[in-house]
Amino acid sequence: MLRRLDEWSKQLDPELLRAAFSPGQVAVVALWVLGLVALDALSPGMHAFLELRGGALLAAVGPVLLLLLALSFAWVRGSLAGRAAPIGLLVGTWCVGFVAAALVVFASDRAAPVFGAMVVTTAMAHGYQARSTLRHPFIAIADTFAFALAATLATSKTQLLVLSITGPAGVLSGMMIGWATVRSDRLRAERERLRQALEAQLARERARRADEVRGILVDAHARAHDVRNALMGALSALESAAEGYRVSADSARELDRARGALRSAIDITRPTLTSSPSREPVVLRPVLERAIDLVGGRFRHVDLAIVANGREHAVVEVEGGVPSLERMLSNVLVNACEGDGTNSAGRVRVIVEELTDPAMAIVCVEDDGPGFAKEHLDAPITGFKSTKPEGTGLGLFTVDRLAGASGGWIERSNARTGGAIVRIVLPRATTQNGASA
């Protein structure tokens, strides 16, 4: 059950949940309830339809709204960490479901179906926000308990009938929407991973071809330099010969043509500048922090941190700049957090190391998960091979291609104490005087 809970918490959208359970949203719910009570009390026509038992309603939902408000502040401030986050989400969902169902049982039989429609839409919204499915039915269970508790407060058969219909309908609809949303998210994520892998492969091919072209140009320039020296020697010999002899007008014209031909040939062999690779200097520290924040929001149960040693401020050259480096780091961090798909890591550390010859920076990601299988360490990195049930194997493939396009590489190993180690080796940027930054 705890493993299923961890799986479920990983697939939640932190930004969507932060918006849905913000203090502002809770305030809207509270104002909605207070507004209904006030409208029922002040408008005889509305009271004739609603017949709300305002005092009893506020006594029932008041403590629930206060609990929901406290949970929303804790959620926004990040106080709910690890496994407390999904538990807090379940309690908050129960609170909202109870408030929606309480409006049914504290209103008249005429108004009960109207509020019953709110019960259905509330459960459907919960199914979408929390990705409720048969595999992860936690939100559906929370809504079911909320509706069942509210049903015990019903005072008529109509209210019970409305809740017995709208409650299950809302829960089932929410699970269907949750399943469709999870499937859509998965397909979209697979398409994005495939797109990133293709872009990384293309970048690696462009870099390889650029290196080949630069090698050809360097060789051509070396040969052109030798030819140019020979042509300049011939021009010098021609000038020396012309100074020692008196020549006719026809011979002078021929001599000028020879000089022009030699000078044109010398200009043709003049060296030109080669194009530089499309690599950009990137400071490691800010990108590392953004990647950890992004991945940490998804894996709240994992302890993610940078080991500060001063080297994390190094500047590296990356094909594609900041987006490519963030993509590399995010893929490696996600792999570290997920483990082998069955056993995940609980602790991940990022350490920046350096090589002085050549000038390279090494971003080392260490975790305490199950580590790499021996057959994977012995095999080259290829796409579409993964130990995870729903993995595509494109994460490390993308990192490997982007690192190669940047003039670096990646290394994989297992720690002696357990867990995996992935090193991203990238060239350090050089300053104008040729020193490493």
Side-chain angles (χ1 to χ4, degrees), residues 49 103-105 107-117 156 158-159 162 166:
F49 176 71
L103 292 173
V104 174
V105 300
S108 66
D109 290 348
R110 291 185 299 275
V114 176
F115 291 124
S156 72
T158 301
Q159 295 169 351
V162 169
T166 58

Side-chain angles (χ1 to χ4, degrees), residues 28 38 73 78 112 127 146 163 182 197 203 218 245 253 289 294 315:
V28 169
F73 274 113
L163 276 181
V182 168
V218 169
Y245 298 93
R253 283 193 294 271
E289 291 175 345
L294 178 66
V315 183

Side-chain angles (χ1 to χ4, degrees), residues 256-317:
D256 289 338
R257 290 194 191 97
R259 289 195 188 99
L262 285 171
R263 286 170 181 159
S264 297
I266 291 171
D267 289 337
I268 291 174
T269 58
R270 191 180 303 278
T272 57
L273 294 176
T274 61
S275 58
S276 60
S278 57
R279 296 172 188 164
E280 302 176 19
V282 181
V283 182
L284 275 176
R285 179 78 191 203
V287 185
L288 282 172
E289 291 175 345
R290 280 198 300 274
I292 284 179
D293 288 341
L294 178 66
V295 177
R298 178 180 169 188
F299 298 91
R300 291 176 175 267
H301 66 287
V302 179
D303 179 17
L304 275 167
I306 302 172
V307 177
N309 57 12
R311 300 189 184 99
E312 66 273 12
H313 298 285
V315 183
V316 294
E317 288 187 350

Side-chain angles (χ1 to χ4, degrees), residues 13-284:
D13 185 344
E15 294 302 323
L16 181 62
L17 294 176
R18 188 175 289 111
F21 290 93
S22 66
Q25 291 294 329
V26 177
V28 169
V29 174
L31 289 175
W32 165 252
V33 174
L34 292 173
L36 280 177
V37 173
L39 190 62
D40 179 78
L42 298 176
S43 173
M46 188 62 69
H47 178 72
F49 176 71
L50 295 178
E51 294 182 5
L52 280 178
R53 292 181 285 150
L57 174 63
L58 293 178
V61 303
V64 173
L65 289 173
L66 290 176
L67 174 59
L68 182 60
L69 186 62
L71 286 172
S72 68
F73 274 113
W75 183 274
V76 171
R77 292 178 178 177
S79 302
L80 294 176
R83 289 196 171 95
I87 298 300
L89 175 60
L90 291 174
V91 175
T93 300
W94 177 89
C95 291
V96 176
F98 178 80
V99 171
L103 292 173
V104 174
V105 300
F106 287 105
S108 66
D109 290 348
R110 291 185 299 275
V114 176
F115 291 124
M118 291 180 54
V119 170
V120 175
T121 55
T122 298
M124 291 171 65
H126 289 168
Y128 166 72
Q129 292 168 345
R131 308 301 194 257
S132 181
T133 62
L134 286 174
R135 182 175 176 81
H136 305 118
F138 306 106
I139 287 296
I141 294 172
D143 276 334
T144 300
F145 279 141
F147 301 153
L149 180 60
T152 63
L153 304 176
T155 57
S156 72
K157 293 182 179 179
T158 301
Q159 295 169 351
L160 281 174
L161 179 63
V162 169
L163 276 181
S164 66
I165 294 174
T166 58
V171 170
L172 290 175
S173 299
M175 293 185 72
M176 291 176 63
I177 293 174
W179 174 83
T181 305
V182 168
R183 183 172 177 80
S184 176
D185 290 345
R186 187 173 300 149
L187 291 174
R188 185 165 53 250
E190 289 177 358
R191 286 195 299 269
E192 179 63 18
R193 283 193 291 267
L194 182 58
R195 183 187 66 80
Q196 292 180 3
L198 289 174
E199 289 180 352
Q201 179 66 21
L202 289 174
R204 180 69 186 94
E205 290 299 316
R206 285 196 301 268
R208 183 181 61 80
R209 291 175 182 175
D211 289 339
E212 291 177 355
V213 170
R214 281 192 295 274
I216 293 171
L217 289 175
V218 169
D219 183 65
H221 286 166
R223 296 176 183 274
H225 179 73
D226 295 337
V227 174
R228 187 167 180 266
N229 287 340
L231 290 172
M232 291 181 69
L235 179 61
S236 177
L238 181 63
E239 294 290 354
S240 299
E243 290 177 359
Y245 298 93
R246 295 179 62 183
V247 296
S248 63
D250 292 339
S251 299
R253 283 193 294 271
E254 293 297 329
L255 186 60
D256 289 338
R257 290 194 191 97
R259 289 195 188 99
L262 285 171
R263 286 170 181 159
S264 297
I266 291 171
D267 289 337
I268 291 174
T269 58
R270 191 180 303 278
T272 57
L273 294 176
T274 61
S275 58
S276 60
S278 57
R279 296 172 188 164
E280 302 176 19
V282 181
V283 182
L284 275 176

Side-chain angles (χ1 to χ4, degrees), residues 203-204 207 211 279 399-410 426:
R204 180 69 186 94
D211 289 339
R279 296 172 188 164
V399 177
D400 179 65
R401 290 332 187 241
L402 287 176
S406 303
W409 62 89
I410 69 171
L426 296 169

